[in-house]
Amino acid sequence: MRTIKLGTSSLEVPVVAVGCMRINSLDKPAAERFVQTALEEGANFFDHADIYGGGACEEIFAEAIHMTSDVREKIILQSKCGIRQGSFDFSKEHILASVDGSLKRLKTDYLDVLLLHRPDALVEPEDVAAAFDLLESSGKVRHFGVSNQNPMQIQLLKKHVKQPLVANQLQLSITNATMISSGINVNMENDAAVNRDGSVLDFCRLHDITIQPWSPFQYGFFEGVFLGSDKFPELNQKIDEIAGKYGVTNTTIAIAWLLRHPARMQPVTGTMNIERLKDCCKAADIRLTREEWYEIYRAAGNVLP
């Protein structure tokens, strides 16, 4: 699969990341087939979080991939921490304990990437910096990033954290594209012009932070999948039309739309269906034209000034 550099690091990663949030919905043979299929497709970047399945997803993944030192060298592991039941926690103690828990469940000595999962209103950047320094010096984490953070939150961390923040995982799809639409509708008196995230798309591009779109097929906040939905007839008609032109499925085109953006994003899949995973991976070989990208954008109800 085609690769990109993750942020400013030297880490080469596939342009499609495999999300493992739902791997606990599979039995052991199905989980093994799923992981093996991802590897066969060249999708060796696996995204986790300490809260997925209450930690069970990391354990199931390690069993499914038959984790050994040889296997570990062939894959890239990312996990996230900071969400607790009823609160968020970026304290030094919680970050360190979360990483130790993930390492144990994943049966590995290190994470390639650690992301802070959701902004903690009580964050003390000095605490985060101390945790990152310990994790880096001990070899437990090699690269660091954030998730769902706006530019000022990232800048606040960067004031104290010396390690480069290589990724920002953000909700983004054809139907959840406010970070794109606000940039198109600058100085316009319409809803699309509302800047809800501090120009995070441009910020990440300026600072070479890789955006990892999560829920690339969802509309709203986990309200449903837009592909095949009768809520989006015009969008599905346009996607199906373009999919037919390229001889691929609508799933492939939805991911290809994200990959066409020059920000060099790394979408995170969420499917546990092997065929849909393959369709996601095919997007790495498709480059939509400028006209096709805008046709899909408009068909989703996004406006141009």
Side-chain angles (χ1 to χ4, degrees):
M1 181 185 293
R2 180 163 58 88
T3 63
I4 56 172
K5 289 278 177 59
L6 190 68
T8 56
S9 76
S10 60
L11 187 62
E12 288 279 346
V13 300
V15 293
V16 175
V18 181
C20 296
M21 184 175 70
R22 299 181 179 90
I23 198 170
N24 60 336
S25 67
L26 304 178
D27 60 23
K28 184 175 180 180
E32 290 175 341
R33 288 194 298 272
F34 176 80
V35 171
Q36 185 57 40
T37 298
L39 294 176
E40 291 170 356
E41 294 293 319
N44 68 334
F45 186 107
F46 297 96
D47 175 72
H48 295 271
D50 57 354
I51 64 162
Y52 292 165
C57 291
E58 291 177 327
E59 292 179 341
I60 292 168
F61 172 84
E63 291 295 328
I65 205 167
H66 303 288
M67 189 70 78
T68 63
S69 57
D70 288 341
V71 169
R72 182 66 185 90
E73 292 177 4
K74 299 174 183 176
I75 63 175
I76 303 168
L77 289 179
Q78 172 175 283
S79 196
K80 301 181 286 292
C81 71
I83 297 180
R84 307 187 75 165
Q85 187 171 5
S87 68
F88 304 124
D89 191 344
F90 285 177
S91 66
K92 173 184 172 182
E93 292 76 18
H94 182 69
I95 292 173
L96 295 177
S98 294
V99 169
D100 283 343
S102 287
L103 294 179
K104 182 179 180 180
R105 291 187 293 270
L106 288 166
K107 297 183 179 179
T108 182
D109 295 328
Y110 68 95
L111 294 175
D112 293 284
V113 189
L114 173 70
L115 305 184
L116 300 177
H117 207 158
R118 276 198 176 273
D120 175 13
L122 303 180
V123 62
E124 297 180 64
E126 302 91 337
D127 242 17
V128 175
F132 282 10
D133 285 346
L134 283 171
L135 291 170
E136 182 181 49
S137 63
S138 65
K140 291 180 179 180
V141 178
R142 297 185 174 180
H143 304 282
F144 300 85
V146 296
S147 180
N148 304 300
Q149 293 207 14
N150 67 34
M152 289 301 100
Q153 291 167 330
I154 294 173
Q155 291 284 47
L156 179 61
L157 283 176
K158 286 167 67 72
K159 180 181 178 181
H160 298 274
V161 172
K162 69 181 183 183
Q163 295 81 4
L165 300 177
V166 298
N168 189 6
Q169 200 168 111
L170 297 160
Q171 184 176 19
L172 177 62
S173 71
I174 298 168
T175 55
N176 286 37
T178 55
M179 72 174 71
I180 294 174
S181 59
S182 62
I184 293 176
N185 290 273
V186 171
N187 202 37
M188 301 301 296
E189 292 187 7
N190 58 37
D191 290 342
V194 178
N195 187 339
R196 293 177 169 84
D197 48 40
S199 300
V200 70
L201 173 59
D202 294 327
F203 177 86
C204 288
R205 293 183 72 181
L206 279 168
H207 293 271
D208 295 315
I209 298 172
T210 297
I211 291 176
Q212 297 177 332
W214 58 266
S215 288
F217 305 109
Q218 291 278 334
Y219 65 89
F221 188 69
F222 292 109
E223 291 180 38
V225 176
F226 59 79
L227 292 177
S229 170
D230 56 12
K231 292 177 184 268
F232 301 95
E234 185 179 349
L235 174 59
N236 278 286
Q237 181 179 356
K238 177 55 65 175
I239 289 177
D240 289 346
E241 173 191 320
I242 294 173
K245 171 185 171 182
Y246 286 94
V248 296
T249 68
N250 55 1
T251 296
T252 301
I253 296 302
I255 296 294
W257 187 83
L258 292 169
L259 293 179
R260 176 61 178 83
H261 196 281
R264 299 172 73 242
M265 302 178 190
Q266 185 194 29
V268 181
T269 65
T271 183
M272 291 293 110
N273 180 288
I274 285 176
E275 293 307 314
R276 281 199 289 274
L277 177 63
K278 290 180 180 178
D279 289 339
C280 290
C281 293
K282 288 177 183 176
D285 299 321
I286 291 178
R287 180 177 171 83
L288 298 177
T289 66
R290 180 179 293 267
E291 292 75 18
E292 290 165 345
W293 189 92
Y294 274 104
E295 287 172 1
I296 292 171
Y297 176 81
R298 296 198 311 272
N302 297 304
V303 299
L304 296 181

